[in-house]
């Protein structure tokens, strides 16, 4: 995939440079044409030569032609630059180099959402950044809804999204051109869709100004016929007198009588300029042949949009005549121009007003599906999950964390369930317990949104996901860490009680109730997990508490897994520019007393922390062991044969 993006990046970069060269030449030619026209104008004024007049006409026509042509070249150059940026961002997404990606968009998220914060759905280094770009406000709303509330959809809808993603995945040109066209829209990151959509959408959905004023247009039509007939008759000599001016004056009185709703209608319609950047998007989506039901439905919903938008643009052009006084005054006097244009605009609103939002939402759905399809294209080794109503457990083979790069990702086989069973994960610090939980949770979110999952096989029923990982205290709400943890557990238990047979709760609990002593924590964990299992929920629990993990009553319903961390050559490598975590510094401090300061001192000092010898009852005072054998460096600064390298690559150590 990287080669495909690099080839496209180089191709569009060459195209942008070529169009830039053409643009510069056309700028010079425009300057020359303007100079020619100006010179000819001076000659016309001084000599009245027909050759000078011809030169003036030629210079003006040439200048206008160059303006139109230059504008087209600039549009092609901007499109090429947009595609260059898109392919550069795609390479950054593949490599998970977050700093090279655009600022993330974050939708409004409820404070009590069951998993959004724990699983890094939005924000910096999040799932939303790994997915393909989504720029339209309707696309962001749809994608956010699928990620945050995907479980509320039935399986048929999830399967329909999978079919659409499967069809769009190889359509790289189509998806990238949608993204390039969407860049023309104003960015309203974090804003609700109601505020981000053009104001003309709200105007189109409002009641018409002629409602309840059915007498206005018949009267306007009568005054128009009488005034025009009188003016024509007076011009031809058939009618004597200027009585038709009185009917024209009555037309102005009628316009003043209804000026408020008339101005509101014309002012609202003039906002159609906010829809103009959407017109190419709508045309692009409509032009693509589809077979997936969701895509076919989206295309059918926007079938009338291009013609309707062109008609509205023409009506606004007619309404703008009122800004030219020398033309508007006679037109309004003779024909009651404004009233007839108002009637045409109101008729457009009655026909298409309720469809405008539907058009934009259809484009947003296609863009959101294209975002998931981009992930499927970027990660060809990932699979489409098997969403099966008959499944009683979540079974995954080779499941990994979607936010980690391929080179550093560690995969595992997991099973959550069936009902009455849970997965118990134990292990040391930095062994990957939390990462495994988040890998499971993120893949469940992706599966129910309709996207691919980071696994070689993934089968699950419809699940209501709930997590307890990043629980924090709150000074504002007066919540201690312990109480905040209890409230989160209460939310999960309540959801399990209210769950239905076709959508069970899937719980992911990471180090539950860290803010209390081990005895109370053990009692609480046994009680909560037992209650969840009694409600037929499935899930996983991580713990450092070895006493809890050895409790026969607790582990009787558990499938236990133990994760280990290996320090291979005892060198800790922090990511560039990152600060090593406390765990790294502590390990460095433990290794220093045994002659390893040359190995450990550099990274520890770069982390900005002073390493001190570990003291206390747990300081074994010897070199680290692996597999019951002592591992010693052969020389100072050189690892023993067969040693590996530990890299502290987690975003949060």
């Amino acid at each position: 995939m990287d080669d495909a993006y690099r080839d496209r990046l180089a191709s569009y970069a060459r195209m942008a440079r070529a169009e830039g060269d053409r643009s510069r030449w056309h700028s010079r030619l425009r300057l020359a044409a303007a100079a020619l026209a100006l010179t000819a104008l001076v000659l016309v004024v001084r000599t009245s030569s027909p050759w000078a007049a011809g030169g003036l006409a030629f210079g003006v026509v040439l200048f206008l032609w160059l303006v139109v042509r230059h504008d087209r070249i600039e549009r092609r150059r901007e499109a090429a630059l947009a595609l260059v940026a898109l392919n550069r961002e795609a390479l950054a997404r593949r490599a998970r180099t977050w700093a090279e990606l655009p600022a993330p968009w974050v939708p409004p998220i409820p404070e009590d959402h069951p998993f959004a914060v724990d699983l890094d759905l939005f924000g910096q280094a999040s799932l939303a950044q790994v997915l393909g770009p989504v720029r339209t406000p309707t696309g962001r709303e749809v994608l956010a809804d699928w990620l945050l509330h995907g479980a509320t959809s039935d399986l048929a809808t999830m399967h329909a999204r999978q079919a659409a993603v499967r069809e769009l995945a190889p359509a790289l040109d189509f998806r990238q051109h949608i993204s390039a066209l969407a860049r023309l829209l104003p960015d309203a990151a974090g804003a609700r869709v109601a505020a981000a959509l053009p104001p003309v959408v709200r105007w189109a959905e409002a009641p018409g100004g002629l409602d309840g004023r059915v007498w206005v247009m018949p009267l306007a039509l009568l005054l128009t016929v009488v005034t025009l007939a009188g003016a024509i008759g007076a011009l031809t000599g058939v009618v004597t007198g200027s009585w038709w001016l009185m009917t024209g004056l009555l037309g102005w009185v009628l316009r003043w009588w209804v000026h408020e709703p008339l101005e509101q209608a014309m002012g609202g319609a003039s906002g159609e300029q906010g829809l103009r950047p959407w017109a190419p998007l709508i045309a692009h989506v409509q032009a693509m042949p589809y077979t997936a039901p969701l895509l076919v439905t989206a295309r059918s919903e926007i079938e009338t949009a291009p013609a309707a938008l062109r008609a509205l643009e023409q009506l606004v052009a007619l309404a703008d005549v009122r800004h030219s006084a020398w033309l508007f005054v006679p037109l309004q006097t003779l024909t009651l121009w404004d009233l007839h244009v108002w009637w045409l605009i109101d008729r457009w609103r009655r026909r298409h007003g309720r469809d405008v939002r539907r058009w934009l939402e259809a484009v947003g759905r296609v863009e959101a599906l294209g975002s998931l399809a981009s992930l499927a294209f970027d990660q060809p080794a990932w699979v489409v999950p098997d969403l099966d109503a008959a499944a009683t457990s979540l079974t995954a083979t080779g499941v990994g964390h979607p936010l980690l790069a391929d080179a550093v990702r560690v995969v595992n086989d997991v099973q959550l369930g069936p009902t009455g069973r849970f997965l118990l994960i134990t292990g040391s610090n930095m062994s990957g317990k939390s990462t495994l939980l988040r890998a499971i949770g993120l893949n469940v979110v992706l599966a129910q949104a309709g996207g691919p999952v980071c696994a070689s096989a993934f089968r699950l029923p419809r699940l209501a996901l709930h997590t307890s990982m990043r629980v924090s205290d709150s000074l504002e709400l007066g919540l201690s860490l312990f109480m905040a943890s209890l409230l989160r557990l209460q939310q999960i238990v309540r959801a399990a009680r209210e769950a239905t047979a076709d959508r069970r709760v899937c719980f992911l609990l990471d180090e539950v109730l860290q803010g209390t002593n081990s005895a109370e924590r053990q009692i609480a964990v046994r009680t909560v997990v037992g209650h969840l299992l009694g409600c037929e929920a499935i899930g996983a629990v991580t713990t450092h508490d070895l006493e809890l993990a050895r409790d026969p009553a607790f582990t009787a319903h558990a499938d236990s897994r133990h994760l280990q961390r290996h320090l291979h050559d005892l060198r800790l490598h922090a990511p560039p520019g990152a600060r090593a975590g406390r765990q790294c510094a502590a390990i460095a401090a433990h290794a220093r007393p045994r002659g390893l300061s040359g190995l450990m001192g550099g990274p520890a000092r770069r982390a900005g922390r002073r390493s001190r010898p570990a003291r206390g009852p747990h300081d074994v005072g010897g070199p680290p062991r692996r597999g019951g054998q002592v591992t010693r460096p052969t020389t100072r600064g050189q690892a023993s044969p067969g040693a590996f390298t530990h890299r502290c690559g987690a975003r949060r150590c």
Side-chain angles (χ1 to χ4, degrees):
M1 295 304 108
D2 288 349
D3 291 340
Y5 285 128
R6 290 193 186 98
D7 291 344
R8 294 173 69 85
L9 176 61
S11 174
Y12 287 121
R14 288 193 298 270
M15 186 184 301
R17 286 194 296 271
E19 297 296 342
D21 293 339
R22 294 190 187 96
S23 177
R24 284 188 290 274
W25 274 108
H26 277 72
S27 295
R28 294 164 186 162
L29 290 174
R30 285 174 59 180
L31 182 61
L36 173 63
L38 183 61
T39 303
L41 177 62
V42 172
L43 292 176
V44 167
V45 172
R46 290 187 175 183
T47 65
S48 300
S49 168
W51 291 101
L56 175 61
F58 175 75
V60 170
V61 171
L62 178 61
F63 180 81
L64 294 176
W65 180 77
L66 288 172
V67 167
V68 174
R69 186 174 175 82
H70 191 199
D71 181 65
R72 293 174 182 172
I73 291 173
E74 277 297 300
R75 289 183 183 180
R76 290 198 298 268
R77 187 180 72 88
E78 291 173 1
L81 290 174
L83 290 166
V84 166
L86 286 171
N87 284 280
R88 187 177 290 117
E89 291 167 12
L91 290 171
R93 283 200 313 272
R94 287 264 303 153
R96 305 298 192 263
T97 51
W98 310 105
E100 298 178 14
L101 291 172
W105 59 278
V106 181
I109 301 174
E111 293 184 0
D112 60 346
H113 192 272
F115 57 81
V117 175
D118 287 346
L119 299 184
D120 299 311
L121 293 192
F122 301 98
Q124 183 66 19
S126 65
L127 181 62
Q129 286 190 298
V130 170
L131 300 175
V134 182
R135 184 61 180 259
T136 65
T138 51
R140 289 178 174 178
E141 181 189 45
V142 169
L143 184 59
D145 182 64
W146 291 348
L147 296 178
L148 295 171
H149 311 290
T152 59
S153 304
D154 55 31
L155 287 181
T157 302
M158 296 179 189
H159 290 148
R161 290 200 289 257
Q162 287 180 340
V165 168
R166 193 181 294 111
E167 181 174 344
L168 290 176
L172 180 58
D173 280 335
F174 173 76
R175 290 187 283 102
Q176 287 201 338
H177 278 86
I178 281 185
S179 299
L181 292 171
R183 285 178 175 244
L184 300 175
L185 300 176
D187 191 9
R192 294 187 179 275
V193 173
L197 289 179
V200 69
V201 177
R202 294 188 293 277
W203 166 81
E205 294 173 339
L210 283 172
D211 295 345
R213 297 182 176 91
V214 295
W215 54 271
V216 172
M217 289 316 300
L219 180 57
L221 184 61
L222 176 63
L223 290 175
T224 299
V225 171
V226 172
T227 304
L228 273 178
I232 295 172
L235 184 64
T236 59
V238 176
V239 176
T240 60
S242 301
W243 55 266
W244 55 273
L245 291 176
M246 294 301 297
T247 57
L249 181 60
L250 288 176
W252 281 99
V253 172
L254 178 60
R255 187 196 184 282
W256 172 81
W257 188 267
V258 296
H259 77 280
E260 186 173 347
L262 184 147
E263 292 294 340
Q264 288 177 355
M266 291 189 172
S270 64
E272 62 85 25
Q273 293 185 0
L275 290 176
R276 291 184 186 180
W278 288 84
L281 267 172
I282 293 173
H284 186 66
V285 171
Q286 188 188 31
M288 181 72 174
Y290 305 114
T291 57
L294 278 183
L295 299 175
V296 172
T297 301
R299 185 176 57 188
S300 66
E301 289 178 351
I302 61 175
E303 188 173 0
T304 61
L309 291 177
R310 285 194 298 270
L312 180 60
E313 184 176 350
Q314 293 167 1
L315 291 175
V316 170
L318 294 177
D320 287 344
V321 169
R322 70 188 190 277
H323 299 308
S324 301
W326 64 271
L327 180 61
F328 175 65
V329 171
L331 271 178
Q332 177 65 21
T333 302
L334 294 174
T335 66
L336 278 73
W337 180 267
D338 265 3
L339 295 174
H340 296 295
V341 173
W342 179 28
W343 178 79
L344 291 173
I345 289 175
D346 198 72
R347 185 182 64 171
W348 186 96
R349 179 157 58 175
R350 289 196 303 271
R351 289 181 177 178
H352 304 293
R354 297 293 176 181
D355 296 332
V356 175
R357 185 182 297 272
R358 186 162 53 89
W359 298 337
L360 307 189
E361 289 175 348
V363 171
R365 285 199 303 276
V366 174
E367 188 188 25
L369 290 168
S371 176
L372 295 170
S374 295
L375 182 61
F377 180 83
D378 292 347
Q379 304 290 342
W382 294 14
V383 299
V384 177
D386 180 12
L387 292 158
D388 188 357
T392 59
S393 61
L394 184 156
T395 306
T397 303
V399 64
H401 198 302
L403 304 188
L404 294 177
D406 296 344
V408 298
R409 184 184 298 119
V410 177
V411 299
N412 292 275
D413 300 337
V414 298
Q415 177 173 335
L416 306 186
T419 56
R421 307 286 300 175
F422 73 100
L423 178 63
L424 177 62
I425 305 172
T426 59
S428 58
N429 290 330
M430 298 170 56
S431 60
K433 301 186 299 300
S434 300
T435 302
L436 179 56
L437 283 190
R438 291 192 176 93
I440 296 170
L442 280 171
N443 282 296
V444 169
V445 171
L446 281 172
Q448 299 188 134
V453 294
C454 181
S456 55
F458 203 86
R459 182 172 182 262
L460 73 162
R462 189 161 159 252
L463 296 173
L465 186 62
H466 286 261
T467 64
S468 177
M469 298 180 188
R470 292 185 184 134
V471 181
S472 59
D473 56 4
S474 173
L475 182 64
E476 177 185 3
L477 300 177
L479 292 177
S480 66
L481 179 61
F482 177 70
M483 181 56 66
S485 300
L486 286 180
L487 291 177
R488 177 69 67 88
L489 292 175
Q490 181 187 45
Q491 179 187 17
I492 298 174
V493 169
R494 184 185 299 114
R497 289 174 178 171
E498 298 171 355
T500 58
D502 64 336
R503 193 181 66 159
R504 294 188 176 91
V505 162
C506 175
F507 59 89
L508 302 174
L509 310 181
D510 186 26
E511 299 292 345
V512 182
L513 297 174
Q514 298 179 59
T516 187
N517 61 73
S518 59
E520 292 179 350
R521 181 173 61 248
Q522 290 171 13
I523 295 172
V525 171
R526 291 190 192 98
T527 303
V528 169
V529 172
H531 194 89
L532 291 173
L533 295 180
C535 295
E536 298 187 342
I538 62 174
V541 179
T542 68
T543 183
H544 277 107
D545 195 330
L546 298 181
E547 183 179 349
L548 179 64
R550 287 193 294 263
D551 182 1
F554 183 65
T555 58
H557 301 283
D559 299 314
S560 299
R561 296 290 184 272
H562 184 75
L563 303 182
Q564 286 185 317
R565 167 182 50 82
H566 296 285
L567 293 183
H568 303 295
D569 69 350
L570 297 181
R571 288 182 295 182
L572 299 178
H573 302 274
R579 294 173 61 90
R582 295 182 181 274
Q583 298 291 347
C584 300
I587 296 168
H590 182 77
R592 186 186 296 274
R594 292 296 167 183
L596 301 181
S597 59
L599 297 177
M600 307 303 294
R605 282 192 293 271
R606 284 195 297 270
R609 301 182 185 276
R610 179 173 298 176
S611 300
R612 296 182 179 179
R615 298 181 180 180
H618 300 291
D619 186 1
V620 296
R625 296 176 179 268
R626 184 177 70 248
Q629 296 182 349
V630 176
T631 303
R632 299 180 183 274
T634 56
T635 60
R636 185 179 182 89
Q638 180 179 355
S640 60
F644 307 92
T645 301
H646 167 75
R647 288 179 173 83
C648 180
R651 293 185 302 107
R652 295 174 178 83
C653 182

